[in-house]
Amino acid sequence: MVTPANPPKEAPLLSGSQTVKSIRDTGYKGTDYALAELIDNSFQWGDANTVLLVIVQRKVQGRTRASNRVDEIWVIDDGVGMTDEALNLALSFGGSGKYDDRSGIGRFGMGLPQASVSQCKRTDIWTWQSSQPENAMHTYLDLGEVESSAKGAPLTVPWPTDPSSPDYAPMPDWVYDVFKSHAVPDTTTGQPVYSGTAIRWTVLDKLRWVRADAMFAHTENLLGRVYRNFLTSDTRRRSIKVAIMEGETLLGPETFHEVRPNDPLYLQSPDETTLEYWERSEIAEDGTESKVRITDEPPFNEHYTSPRDFPIQRLDGKGTSTVHVRLSLAKTQSRPGRNPGKDTHQGRHARDNSGISVIRADRELVLEKTLASEATDRWWGVEVTFDPCLDEVFGVTNNKQDAPTFTQALRLVREHRLTKIEALDQGLFDEDHPIAELYDMAFQLVELAAQMKAEGKDEKSATTGPRRAQPEVTDVASSVKKARSSVSPTPGETTFAKTKPDPGQAAAAIDRILEEQDVPAEVRGAVIADYQRGVTVQVIKRPVKQLNAFFWPDEALNLEILCLNNAHPAYKKLIEPLQLSSEQIQEMSEADAKNLLVQSADAMTWLLLAWSRLENEHRTSPQYRQLQEFREGWGRRLAEYVEDEAFKAASPFGEEDESQDGEDHA
């Protein structure tokens, strides 16, 4: 019972320091994605032309040796800066006042603090407007202070301080020099003044890469792809520059490296992007083959089905908004050899760009990987561009790393291959769900990706020449058994030789025999079709759970049948995993192909081990000699098979053909 002396106490919506810890764990895919949030702020809210990223590394003593480790990260821009009020709110979760502003790449008001705490425990911000960077206002967010604050105490961002304050923390001198060497001053008042913002991350306890060179390489690839439209704009081109600092020393402004665009459609000239070049094979007069680097023409062509537009209904009832789609397909010259995915520069580069690039407000939101499940999926590209008014339809997350509704639509299409009406009828989603708005587009994208992939294979096959098809083992066995049947015919072969039925009668008789053995009609039809073209050996799956036999021989006239009990545990564990289609094998990575060979060898070993164990258990049995004779007879038949000219001509274990043209995704 509540009394005046014990009034009810409402629980806080957010529980102080624990909330901040939880937000840290929501995280970003990597340090590069978190840095992209800061660059979003610079380009949209700061209206910056140039963003400088400085990675500071220092020598750190480990347990056994000293090594360089990233110790600070700076993001400095030449934007409009912030007022005291805006600076104070900038580190407040959801406090920027920008929530639901759909005029650009931001919207949620969580980016700066959420990205920062996902990587470090201390974030400092300095900002200045129409002044000098030496006069910048400063505030910070220190998770150490948050964690040590009294339980239940309100968590606040310190009010900004200026250089006159005793608590003021100035920026290092090198920041002033670097900023002024890249920024353009405003001289309208006669004196050069600047505006801008600098953010510093320290106490870096959640970095994905701890070495500056690794962070530099990965950061350029991602930032170049995410902001490629900003870096190549014809109306207002922006720039991102990256430098590595050793300790307190910056060698000079020339140390900054301009981030190049990374085009996942590969329709830009390579020398203007992170690709730099692609390799094409050329044959010299003496017949030698060499790789030539191409720098001035793209390795892909825009697909003939591109561009495409899809009107999507807005969830706010304000009509539709158009989603624009572009598609590209690799030129056949950019896929030379049997394994261009692994053996060419462009193949290795495209591996990390495979998938559907989803663009929101000119900025890449996510590289969607649902349809990039195989190595050859790197040879096509799709770009989907939408306006922020469709955020709820696509399911955009507040860290701008995913569009889960779009992903789910792609997965449903890929897994079920149903039209929208069929999917609704089966209850895969409700017609009021955002998936319903995207499903038709997703269906067409899945079909287009499959179409481009098939076209790419056909074009590559046409230029490399057809590979000789591997004969079916039953075809080869039919040829091999001809010689054996003349030496030691089976009862069925003897009957066939005596009665000499015409082909139609023989086929009808075999069909009746198989029907009596409960062989399904569709299997019988395939067997008879093969028999009529001369195949007299067949392998048929016969699931008999009550039977311990893994296989047994049978025959119908001169048709030799090997029955495999596919209900046997050995079939499920040893044979079934190896039964892949030729297309599946062709798309396998080299590592998976090697693993399949090991599995095949292991399966053979287990089959022989079981026979070996059976013999050993019967060593003192009167049946032992008979088992030996059967084994030796089986060995003779096997030797005759593999030495037969038909077997040799088929060459099932001949020259290795590296048909897979790429390795697995990293």
Side-chain angles (χ1 to χ4, degrees):
M1 181 176 180
V2 176
T3 64
N6 184 28
K9 185 177 182 181
E10 295 179 340
L13 178 61
L14 302 176
S15 57
S17 61
Q18 189 59 45
T19 299
V20 178
K21 292 179 181 178
S22 298
I23 292 174
R24 296 199 81 195
D25 293 334
T26 60
Y28 283 73
K29 294 177 182 177
T31 304
D32 45 1
Y33 282 90
L35 287 169
E37 279 285 2
L38 273 58
I39 296 173
D40 283 354
N41 288 339
S42 296
F43 281 161
Q44 183 171 7
W45 313 128
D47 198 30
N49 290 306
T50 302
V51 177
L52 306 177
L53 171 61
V54 182
I55 305 169
V56 183
Q57 67 177 7
R58 295 184 172 89
K59 191 77 73 174
V60 176
Q61 181 61 50
R63 286 181 293 181
T64 59
R65 63 187 180 91
S67 58
N68 286 324
R69 290 290 184 269
V70 177
D71 193 52
E72 296 180 15
I73 297 177
W74 288 78
V75 176
I76 308 165
D77 71 52
D78 63 353
V80 298
M82 288 181 277
T83 64
D84 293 355
E85 293 80 6
L87 176 59
N88 185 239
L89 291 171
L91 286 173
S92 174
F93 293 93
S96 70
K98 302 295 185 182
Y99 184 82
D100 215 28
D101 184 327
R102 299 171 193 253
S103 60
I105 52 182
R107 174 191 155 203
F108 296 97
M110 295 282 288
L112 174 55
Q114 186 175 7
S116 298
V117 301
S118 76
Q119 303 297 311
C120 69
K121 287 190 171 183
R122 168 93 185 196
T123 302
D124 289 86
I125 306 181
W126 293 264
T127 190
W128 53 99
Q129 291 184 309
S130 299
S131 179
Q132 299 297 322
E134 290 85 352
N135 298 326
M137 302 296 291
H138 168 258
T139 191
Y140 65 92
L141 175 62
D142 192 320
L143 297 189
E145 293 182 4
V146 171
E147 292 171 0
S148 62
S149 62
K151 186 176 181 180
L155 302 180
T156 60
V157 177
W159 186 258
T161 57
D162 61 32
S164 65
S165 170
D167 298 326
Y168 182 75
M171 291 182 285
D173 290 340
W174 66 262
V175 177
Y176 307 133
D177 298 335
V178 164
F179 172 77
K180 290 181 179 180
S181 67
H182 289 88
V184 177
D186 179 1
T187 58
T188 54
T189 60
Q191 295 294 324
V193 293
Y194 301 88
S195 298
T197 299
I199 300 172
R200 179 181 66 184
W201 287 349
T202 52
V203 194
L204 303 162
D205 61 334
K206 286 182 172 288
L207 294 184
R208 183 174 180 181
W209 305 283
V210 296
R211 288 185 56 86
D213 52 354
M215 183 178 294
F216 176 87
H218 288 88
T219 297
E220 182 185 24
N221 285 333
L222 179 87
L223 297 183
R225 196 179 68 232
V226 168
Y227 298 105
R228 61 184 182 271
N229 292 322
F230 290 81
L231 303 178
T232 59
S233 173
D234 292 330
T235 56
R236 183 186 179 187
R237 187 164 298 193
R238 317 286 187 98
S239 68
I240 303 171
K241 300 179 180 180
V242 186
I244 295 176
M245 246 182 102
E246 297 286 347
E248 310 303 322
T249 304
L250 187 71
L251 300 180
E254 67 276 4
T255 61
F256 278 87
H257 173 84
E258 188 103 21
V259 170
R260 298 162 294 177
N262 178 8
D263 175 24
L265 295 184
Y266 294 100
L267 296 175
Q268 297 180 20
S269 183
D271 57 358
E272 299 174 355
T273 70
T274 57
L275 178 61
E276 297 180 341
Y277 65 90
W278 59 280
E279 297 170 318
R280 183 173 65 198
S281 291
E282 291 192 2
I283 307 297
E285 292 182 358
D286 61 0
T288 58
E289 183 179 1
S290 61
K291 288 181 180 177
V292 177
R293 292 187 175 185
I294 308 299
T295 61
D296 57 352
E297 64 177 81
F300 284 34
N301 286 323
E302 186 156 8
H303 196 249
Y304 61 85
T305 60
S306 176
R308 299 175 75 93
D309 288 341
F310 297 90
I312 303 297
Q313 191 70 40
R314 297 172 54 159
L315 297 189
D316 58 8
K318 296 181 179 180
T320 62
S321 179
T322 300
V323 175
H324 304 284
V325 175
R326 297 172 66 209
L327 306 100
S328 64
L329 183 64
K331 299 175 180 177
T332 54
Q333 308 98 297
S334 68
R335 298 177 65 178
R338 292 296 186 194
N339 201 353
K342 187 177 68 172
D343 294 340
T344 66
H345 171 70
Q346 63 270 21
R348 294 186 292 270
H349 191 278
R351 176 193 61 193
D352 297 327
N353 279 340
S354 62
I356 297 178
S357 177
V358 181
I359 303 290
R360 173 188 179 271
D362 285 333
R363 178 222 198 254
E364 184 180 87
L365 185 73
V366 62
L367 188 63
E368 218 293 319
K369 294 284 189 178
T370 296
L371 304 184
S373 58
E374 299 173 341
T376 51
D377 287 317
R378 73 189 69 191
W379 301 114
W380 55 264
V382 174
E383 179 184 88
V384 174
T385 302
F386 71 94
D387 186 90
C389 69
L390 294 178
D391 279 353
E392 285 81 7
V393 179
F394 278 79
V396 177
T397 56
N398 64 11
N399 58 16
K400 298 192 293 293
Q401 293 183 106
D402 285 300
T405 308
F406 178 60
T407 295
Q408 184 63 16
L410 289 172
R411 289 176 178 171
L412 288 174
V413 173
R414 185 193 63 184
E415 293 170 9
H416 299 279
R417 298 284 177 162
L418 300 175
T419 65
K420 180 178 176 180
I421 294 177
E422 292 170 336
L424 287 169
D425 288 343
Q426 292 199 16
L428 297 185
F429 51 86
D430 187 84
E431 61 181 350
D432 293 326
H433 195 283
I435 289 177
E437 297 299 330
L438 298 177
Y439 192 85
D440 281 337
M441 180 178 70
F443 189 91
Q444 291 193 45
L445 291 179
V446 171
E447 294 296 313
L448 287 167
Q451 176 184 336
M452 289 193 294
K453 186 173 178 179
E455 290 174 5
K457 287 181 180 178
D458 291 343
E459 291 174 1
K460 180 170 170 58
S461 297
T463 57
T464 58
R467 288 193 288 268
R468 180 164 59 93
Q470 183 65 44
E472 292 285 347
V473 66
T474 52
D475 290 19
V476 180
S478 298
S479 298
V480 171
K481 92 180 190 79
K482 289 180 181 178
R484 186 66 198 171
S485 62
S486 63
V487 176
S488 179
T490 66
E493 291 168 342
T494 301
T495 300
F496 182 84
K498 288 180 179 179
T499 59
K500 294 182 174 60
D502 63 46
Q505 291 174 328
I510 291 172
D511 186 57
R512 284 195 301 272
I513 295 171
L514 295 178
E515 185 177 11
E516 291 170 359
Q517 297 177 356
D518 295 326
V519 176
E522 62 271 17
V523 176
R524 298 200 312 272
V527 169
I528 296 304
D530 282 346
Y531 179 80
Q532 290 174 329
R533 65 179 182 85
V535 178
T536 57
V537 175
Q538 283 291 344
V539 179
I540 299 177
K541 299 172 187 175
R542 300 290 304 279
V544 186
K545 294 183 179 180
Q546 297 80 12
L547 192 64
N548 289 325
F550 173 62
F551 73 95
W552 62 92
D554 204 346
E555 64 175 355
L557 289 182
N558 66 330
L559 178 65
E560 189 172 317
I561 303 172
L562 168 63
C563 298
L564 290 179
N565 184 2
N566 57 340
H568 193 284
Y571 186 93
K572 298 288 187 183
K573 297 181 182 298
L574 300 180
I575 306 301
E576 197 169 82
L578 305 177
Q579 293 188 316
L580 303 177
S581 68
S582 58
E583 289 184 354
Q584 288 175 305
I585 294 174
Q586 184 177 341
E587 299 303 329
M588 293 181 73
S589 67
E590 182 178 350
D592 286 342
K594 289 179 179 178
N595 184 55
L596 185 66
L597 288 174
V598 172
Q599 282 184 278
S600 301
D602 288 347
M604 176 73 73
T605 301
W606 281 112
L607 294 175
L608 298 178
L609 281 172
W611 179 270
S612 176
R613 179 67 188 184
L614 176 68
E615 274 200 39
N616 282 331
E617 290 177 354
H618 286 79
R619 279 187 175 274
T620 59
S621 169
Q623 299 174 316
Y624 181 62
R625 181 56 192 163
Q626 190 176 21
L627 287 172
Q628 284 183 308
E629 291 175 354
F630 279 131
R631 173 168 47 82
E632 291 169 0
W634 174 79
R636 287 192 295 270
R637 296 297 89 73
L638 182 60
E640 291 170 2
Y641 275 15
V642 299
E643 292 298 327
D644 189 277
E645 291 303 317
F647 184 93
K648 292 179 180 179
S651 301
F653 304 107
E655 181 181 355
E656 180 180 354
D657 179 17
E658 203 171 354
S659 60
Q660 161 65 7
D661 70 349
E663 71 264 25
D664 280 339
H665 296 290

